[in-house]
Amino acid sequence: MTRVRIPPTLRAEVGGAREVEGSGRTLRELLDDLAARFPGLGRQVLDGDGVAPYVNVYVGSEDVRTLQGLETPVEGTTVILLPAMAGGEQTVTPSILEAVGSTPLVELPRLAPNGRVRLFAKLEGHNPTGSTKDRVAKAMVEAAEASGELEPGRELLEPTSGNTGISLAMVAKLKGYPLTCVVPENATPERVRLLELYGARVVPSPASEGSNGAVRLALRLAAADPRLFMLNQYGNVANPRAHYEGTGAEIAQALDRVDVLVAGLGTGGTLMGAGERLRESFPDVVVAAAEPLQGDLVYGLRSLADGYVPPILDVARLDRKILVTNEESAAGTRALLEREAIFAGVSSGAVLHVARRLADELQEGVVVAILADGGWKYLSSGVYDLPEGELAPAMEDRLWW
Amino acid sequence: MVIPAEVRSALVEHAEAERPNEACGLIALRDGVAERYLPGRNASASPYRFELEVDPEAWFLEDEGFELAVFHSHLSSPPRPSRTDIENIGLWEGRPYVILNARTGDLAAFQITGGQVTEKSLG
């Protein structure tokens, strides 16, 4: 048996005892034994497959984080459970990279169908460069650094219509990697200009070939120069992981209930990552994709009927997949601005369109729409100003998302 | 809560010594009056974060009749719990929590419960 000292903050969980005894060869076995006998203590001390973040464990007189963690042998020792205290000043952010994530989750009462269905929007445009891709870019670069694949001296290359490129440009600048972006030439000028301002080299690809053309050209460039490193957001597991650990976790922490999650279908990263995280907290949540109509020249949102399925996307994990026209997207974007004073991008209008449609199907519940970016990069497009009759022709042959 | 001048001086001295990083430790109180300060080590060694490391035995001073307050310094922001402080309150929910603004010397005491911050009177 191993003696376990209980701090005053945890004694209520063990009937007020200052110490208890437990069995097990390793700390893991010991804590499992205690959790079985004192479930309340188990909930406070164990978190998934590890020690809970608010608890420190000492074996002998040493913190187990500097020993073997949960595999630390404990027989014949004294184990001490202690509060783990952390915090810190928040008004100063050490780097713009630390400002990625923790975006607002805003209720949209004026767009909800009735008082029993609550509609929320996750405003990803509040990330530093104005889109959810900041999460993905930071996660992909840091994962490549951690694995040793990305080292000083290498250069980054990414096919992108803008948002991912702009986010990568921010990350690359601060971490010291040159960045080349292959951009379809019908991307909005604001995006191309932003890429250049952040210091990326822009290589245009033919508009008529859409995003697939940009990917093909990037692959050719990478094959010709071994210094170039492609992060490939479509096949990089750090992409959905950023949404699992960030976007999804933030929503799960903020709400007691989520019945429907809606996000745009691009790389699939948001839907896979945030969807998976929300399923853990709300097993019956409906994960719904807003998908552009087949043939639309879109990049951020992608019609699977066009033939390309990103490797990170498992379509079987989508509960609903709803097509949205350009006009419906534009109408959704305008509704966000006119009804809720939220200035969002065009794909956000598509997501809102789907979110409202699914909200209409509910008698009661909570619908969360992830709005991928803000409206600034689309000011030149006419989406916010053109009369409705002129919108459809103006939106043809343009990359919107 | 009362923190007499000598304990206040110890808090300020520790905050100064730890600059440019945040300082942290435990204050031992008896009947609401601080008797001594037990300086900890900031394992994060950061101007923006603290992670308290202190002699494990210090956490058991309550068995000797003391009450404990967790202390840390903010380098520039007001002595109010930050969002990071609130999110990380963990097992210390509802217990005394003291923050010093190292720039101005302002000291304040709080309780954090259910994400809500309540300021406590401090003499």
Side-chain angles (χ1 to χ4, degrees):
Chain A
M1 298 298 273
T2 301
R3 181 177 162 232
V4 182
R5 293 180 68 190
I6 307 292
T9 47
L10 284 173
R11 285 181 190 162
E13 310 294 352
V14 294
R18 293 187 178 193
E19 61 180 58
V20 296
E21 289 192 329
S23 63
R25 286 175 295 112
T26 63
L27 178 62
R28 183 189 299 277
E29 291 174 1
L30 174 70
L31 294 181
D32 284 344
D33 174 52
L34 292 180
R37 290 159 47 216
F38 306 106
L41 183 70
R43 281 192 292 275
Q44 300 265 26
V45 173
L46 289 168
D47 180 25
D49 198 36
V51 175
Y54 305 125
V55 175
N56 284 335
V57 182
Y58 281 67
V59 172
S61 56
E62 193 163 350
D63 191 324
V64 297
R65 290 175 295 179
T66 59
L67 297 170
Q68 298 164 55
L70 284 173
E71 304 312 317
T72 304
V74 294
E75 284 179 311
T77 67
T78 296
V79 171
I80 309 177
L81 306 180
L82 298 172
M85 291 307 304
E89 184 170 335
Q90 68 163 29
T91 52
V92 177
T93 303
S95 156
I96 193 73
L97 293 179
E98 300 300 315
V100 173
S102 298
T103 52
L105 184 60
V106 178
E107 184 155 12
L108 311 178
R110 294 164 192 83
L111 291 169
N114 60 62
R116 295 182 308 281
V117 178
R118 301 181 74 188
L119 180 58
F120 292 88
K122 185 77 169 154
L123 302 188
E124 291 296 289
H126 283 241
N127 280 298
T129 75
S131 90
T132 196
K133 295 298 185 181
D134 286 353
R135 299 180 189 264
V136 177
K138 182 183 174 197
M140 290 195 302
V141 169
E142 291 182 348
E145 287 179 325
S147 71
E149 291 175 284
L150 181 57
E151 296 171 320
R154 294 202 73 174
E155 298 186 16
L156 296 170
L157 172 71
E158 191 71 9
T160 167
S161 64
N163 274 339
T164 303
I166 293 162
S167 300
L168 276 175
M170 169 187 70
V171 177
K173 177 179 280 295
L174 290 173
K175 289 179 176 284
Y177 303 107
L179 169 68
T180 297
C181 290
V182 181
V183 183
E185 55 195 1
N186 51 345
T188 62
E190 290 96 324
R191 291 182 173 205
V192 176
R193 183 74 183 120
L194 270 170
L195 280 172
E196 292 168 341
L197 287 173
Y198 272 107
R201 185 168 74 100
V202 175
V203 175
S205 64
S208 59
E209 296 181 25
S211 56
N212 289 346
V215 172
R216 279 195 295 272
L217 177 54
L219 287 170
R220 281 206 300 276
L221 292 172
D225 186 346
R227 282 175 308 156
L228 293 172
F229 182 84
M230 253 178 84
L231 291 159
N232 182 21
Q233 58 170 336
Y234 289 90
N236 194 321
V237 294
N239 174 356
R241 193 166 63 238
H243 290 294
Y244 175 90
E245 294 174 353
T247 324
E250 291 164 23
I251 295 168
Q253 189 177 21
L255 295 171
D256 294 328
R257 169 181 184 174
V258 179
D259 298 279
V260 179
L261 173 75
V262 186
L265 181 57
T267 64
T270 311
L271 287 158
M272 293 295 104
E276 198 61 28
R277 177 62 189 84
L278 287 183
R279 278 197 186 97
E280 289 179 8
S281 295
F282 314 106
D284 297 327
V285 67
V286 170
V287 177
E291 183 184 13
L293 277 179
Q294 181 181 8
D296 281 3
L297 285 174
V298 298
Y299 189 73
L301 290 190
R302 194 179 265 287
S303 174
L304 298 184
D306 281 346
Y308 177 80
V309 179
I312 58 169
L313 174 64
D314 178 0
V315 180
R317 302 295 289 165
L318 299 176
D319 300 305
R320 302 286 294 269
K321 198 155 62 64
I322 295 172
L323 293 169
V324 189
T325 66
N326 277 340
E327 281 177 298
E328 288 167 337
S329 304
T333 307
R334 289 181 175 193
L336 279 166
L337 192 53
E338 289 165 9
R339 306 279 297 280
E340 296 283 1
I342 290 173
F343 183 43
V346 180
S347 76
S348 297
V351 169
L352 178 77
H353 176 82
V354 171
R356 294 182 79 188
R357 178 170 151 186
L358 296 182
D360 272 335
E361 296 177 7
L362 297 177
Q363 295 298 313
E364 55 154 5
V366 173
V367 177
V368 176
I370 299 179
L371 308 188
D373 65 1
W376 298 102
K377 303 185 198 91
Y378 310 90
L379 272 178
S380 70
S381 67
V383 162
Y384 305 100
D385 343 87
L386 282 176
E388 277 184 21
E390 296 174 29
L391 255 179
M395 290 183 82
E396 286 175 10
D397 302 329
R398 269 287 205 139
L399 273 177
W400 287 101
W401 298 313
Chain B
M1 183 188 302
V2 175
I3 301 185
E6 59 269 33
V7 176
R8 276 178 193 252
S9 298
L11 301 176
V12 171
E13 280 171 23
H14 189 209
E16 288 302 319
E18 287 295 314
R19 272 181 188 277
N21 297 330
E22 292 190 0
C24 52
L26 292 175
I27 301 168
L29 306 116
R30 201 187 286 274
D31 300 324
V33 180
E35 288 200 357
R36 56 186 159 122
Y37 173 56
L38 299 102
R41 191 178 80 85
N42 181 357
S44 291
S46 160
Y48 316 104
R49 298 270 305 162
F50 81 90
E51 189 182 346
L52 174 59
E53 260 187 24
V54 67
D55 177 0
E57 292 303 324
W59 293 105
F60 293 91
L61 281 172
E62 288 187 21
D63 292 337
E64 297 171 26
F66 288 99
E67 184 180 24
L68 294 175
V70 166
F71 163 80
H72 77 283
S73 63
H74 284 175
L75 268 82
S76 54
S77 68
R80 292 271 312 167
S82 68
R83 193 173 71 189
T84 316
D85 295 333
I86 296 166
E87 288 172 352
N88 287 283
I89 195 66
L91 299 184
W92 212 247
E93 184 152 324
R95 288 171 175 260
Y97 197 84
V98 174
I99 302 175
L100 172 76
N101 180 335
R103 184 169 52 83
T104 63
D106 289 340
L107 191 67
F110 306 90
Q111 274 183 348
I112 301 170
T113 306
Q116 300 299 311
V117 174
T118 310
E119 184 158 7
K120 312 300 287 183
S121 68
L122 183 63

